[in-house]
Amino acid sequence: MDTEDTGEFVLPRSRLANERLHAMIPGGAHTYAKGDDQYPENLAPVISHGRGAHVWDIDGNRYIEYGSGLRSVSLGHAHPRVIEAVRRELDRGSNFVRPSIVEVEAAERFLATVPTAEMVKFAKNGSDATTAAVRLARAATGRPRVALCADHPFFSVDDWFIGTTPMSAGVPAATDELTVAFPYGDLAATEELLTRYRDEVACLILEPATHTEPPPGYLAGLRELADRHGCVLIFDEMITGFRWSEAGAQGLYGVVPDLSTFGKALGNGFAVSALAGRRDLMERGGLRHSGDRVFLLSTTHGAETHSLAAAMAVLTTYVEEGVTARLHTLGERLAAGVRDAAADMGVGDHVVVRGRASNLVFATLDENRQPSQQYRTLFLRRLLAGGVLAPSFVVSSALGDADIDHTIDVVAQACAVYRKALDAADPTPWLAGRPVKPVFRRLA
């Protein structure tokens, strides 16, 4: 095994900065998915700045970045149209004691882009939006239980969801018991759940699509089940929103939920999320109804003018420039190249690209074709050494042909090392440290 095989690559300044982060910030990052435990040991770059599809770390290395900002920066970093819209608002003030006219304009733009919704309320993060949707469903139905899709990885930082994960410390069991789960794509199992908890389930909440397309008739079947059992259907469109279509997965598949939540791509990195849905439900959190008031969303910073300006610029750019179609074109080219490179190196059954072209992820499988954190570590290490920062292969529209070509070349080099590890039936010599870890686990 030579130096090229081991992928000698060091980040001394990033390593020191990570120590500083852990000294002051629990977990060393503000999102667990950005933690240094998600990267090979001592190879977690700390970012200096980004532009377009590239980022630079504080050690001076440049990377082609995938999964930008955990899928939030879909137009690329510092996108000119978004930045200009934000700059126009910064000199005009960002927060007032009454709504700004920007809130009117942003709501109109959003509802014009997502016409399946009748009202919208903005917030700063996805968890606030999904929890508000759950609270609204409980208020509207008078029922206590939440039914979430067990096959989807994340819905909220709040107790109703975190209690279902291995990181449930601090969540009372009584709270956890009010959340039940159903499998994606299985209408019969979902109906059995709704029957078992008859008149107790307030809502079904799920991502309408993820790494696989919904089975034919599945979303429409969920719509029918929700109607028949009197519960609220909630689509979490944090990821599918804009990447599937400008109007989200609901616009693509033609199934209208009662409520839906958007974020991620909506702000191109600026903090903004949205809860949208039927007027009769949403108005329960307003002032123009005769029932009990619902504390829906009330956030001091939910309507910061510069974040809403960013959202409007993103919505306009997606519609006018056909961004969703570009994301699919880029993703298709990348997926084909990675699959060919893996096959050429004899690891086509082990480095597996999955998902919709605009939202690609990869699986790293061992000699028994089982998911392996060790082989993921090897693969990530080689990508980093080649200037590719890729916890996923989720594309941004800022990528160019040269970026895709370089990525495929680096993947090919990584796959050559992967093949050697498979032949040895032991990737350990190529890891240079502990393997990467899953986000949700019981022990640190």
Side-chain angles (χ1 to χ4, degrees):
M1 186 166 57
D2 57 24
T3 300
E4 182 178 352
D5 284 343
T6 59
E8 292 298 335
F9 180 61
V10 293
L11 301 174
R13 292 180 180 174
S14 291
R15 183 176 180 177
L16 290 174
N18 275 309
E19 289 303 312
R20 291 164 61 194
L21 284 164
H22 278 283
M24 297 177 289
I25 300 168
H30 285 90
T31 305
Y32 284 115
K34 294 184 182 182
D36 58 0
D37 60 335
Q38 302 302 293
Y39 291 84
E41 190 167 6
N42 298 322
L43 288 185
V46 174
I47 304 302
S48 165
H49 62 286
R51 184 166 297 278
H54 301 109
V55 296
W56 287 257
D57 67 23
I58 60 174
D59 290 280
N61 301 297
R62 187 182 81 157
Y63 306 87
I64 302 168
E65 188 194 40
Y66 292 90
S68 313
L70 303 182
R71 296 179 174 86
S72 66
V73 188
S74 61
L75 301 179
H77 299 289
H79 186 275
R81 195 167 189 172
V82 176
I83 295 302
E84 178 55 33
V86 169
R87 285 201 181 106
R88 283 197 301 268
E89 291 303 326
L90 288 177
D91 290 335
R92 295 164 52 82
S94 61
N95 215 330
F96 316 103
V97 299
R98 281 283 296 147
S100 73
I101 190 63
V102 177
E103 295 177 52
V104 178
E105 296 166 348
E108 289 173 342
R109 187 74 55 85
F110 180 92
L111 294 173
T113 309
V114 187
T116 41
E118 295 175 324
M119 297 188 83
V120 63
K121 195 157 189 177
F122 296 110
K124 301 307 281 182
N125 64 70
S127 293
D128 284 350
T130 53
T131 292
V134 165
R135 185 184 305 116
L136 191 56
R138 282 171 161 163
T141 62
R143 298 174 178 181
R145 295 189 187 274
V146 176
L148 57 79
C149 184
D151 300 311
H152 297 163
F154 188 77
F155 287 104
S156 174
V157 300
D158 294 300
D159 287 359
W160 63 269
F161 171 71
I162 294 299
T164 69
T165 75
M167 293 175 70
S168 60
V171 179
T175 298
D176 184 28
E177 290 167 1
L178 293 177
T179 300
V180 295
F182 61 91
Y184 187 79
D186 190 336
L187 290 174
T190 306
E191 181 158 27
E192 190 279 328
L193 181 78
L194 292 171
T195 301
R196 188 191 330 155
Y197 296 106
R198 186 177 299 278
D199 298 330
E200 294 183 34
V201 175
C203 61
L204 301 172
I205 182 168
L206 73 157
E207 296 180 60
T210 53
H211 307 319
T212 58
E213 287 291 291
Y218 173 63
L219 295 179
L222 276 184
R223 174 72 277 172
E224 191 275 331
L225 277 179
D227 290 340
R228 181 149 47 88
H229 287 268
C231 57
V232 175
L233 180 61
I234 304 170
F235 282 177
D236 179 351
E237 297 240 37
M238 293 293 161
I239 292 173
T240 55
F242 311 110
R243 284 191 177 273
W244 263 242
S245 82
E246 289 84 359
Q250 59 194 277
L252 178 66
Y253 300 123
V255 176
V256 181
D258 299 302
L259 299 170
S260 54
T261 58
F262 290 77
K264 300 286 188 184
L266 180 58
N268 202 55
F270 286 92
V272 60
S273 62
L275 169 63
R278 281 170 32 199
R279 180 175 301 277
D280 62 313
L281 285 174
M282 293 288 288
E283 192 60 82
R284 287 175 175 262
L287 299 175
R288 297 185 174 182
H289 68 96
S290 57
D292 290 344
R293 295 188 68 190
V294 177
F295 194 93
L296 185 57
L297 278 167
S298 183
T299 58
T300 299
H301 300 291
E304 281 178 328
T305 57
H306 59 274
S307 291
L308 293 184
M312 285 192 285
V314 168
L315 291 165
T316 300
T317 301
Y318 261 82
V319 172
E320 292 185 358
E321 298 184 12
V323 172
T324 302
R326 175 166 173 75
L327 294 175
H328 280 85
T329 298
L330 289 166
E332 286 167 355
R333 187 165 180 266
L334 176 64
V338 169
R339 287 170 181 143
D340 287 346
D344 290 345
M345 294 298 168
V347 296
D349 292 331
H350 302 274
V351 176
V352 181
V353 180
R354 296 171 176 163
R356 194 170 181 83
S358 60
N359 189 54
L360 296 171
V361 297
F362 58 82
T364 50
L365 310 182
D366 63 16
E367 53 273 11
N368 298 314
R369 298 183 186 176
Q370 296 301 307
S372 168
Q373 294 295 97
Q374 288 186 308
Y375 279 98
R376 179 175 175 84
T377 307
L378 178 156
F379 192 62
L380 289 174
R381 186 177 180 84
R382 295 306 310 158
L383 293 184
L384 286 165
V388 177
L389 181 57
S392 69
F393 281 141
V394 176
V395 297
S396 78
S397 65
L399 288 162
D401 289 343
D403 297 318
I404 301 290
D405 290 342
H406 179 75
T407 301
I408 294 168
D409 288 343
V410 171
V411 167
Q413 296 167 26
C415 288
V417 178
Y418 205 116
R419 183 67 259 172
K420 294 180 181 180
L422 286 170
D423 291 340
D426 180 14
T428 306
W430 288 272
L431 302 189
R434 54 105 183 108
V436 299
K437 300 178 180 181
V439 170
F440 287 114
R441 59 186 191 274
R442 188 170 67 87
L443 299 175

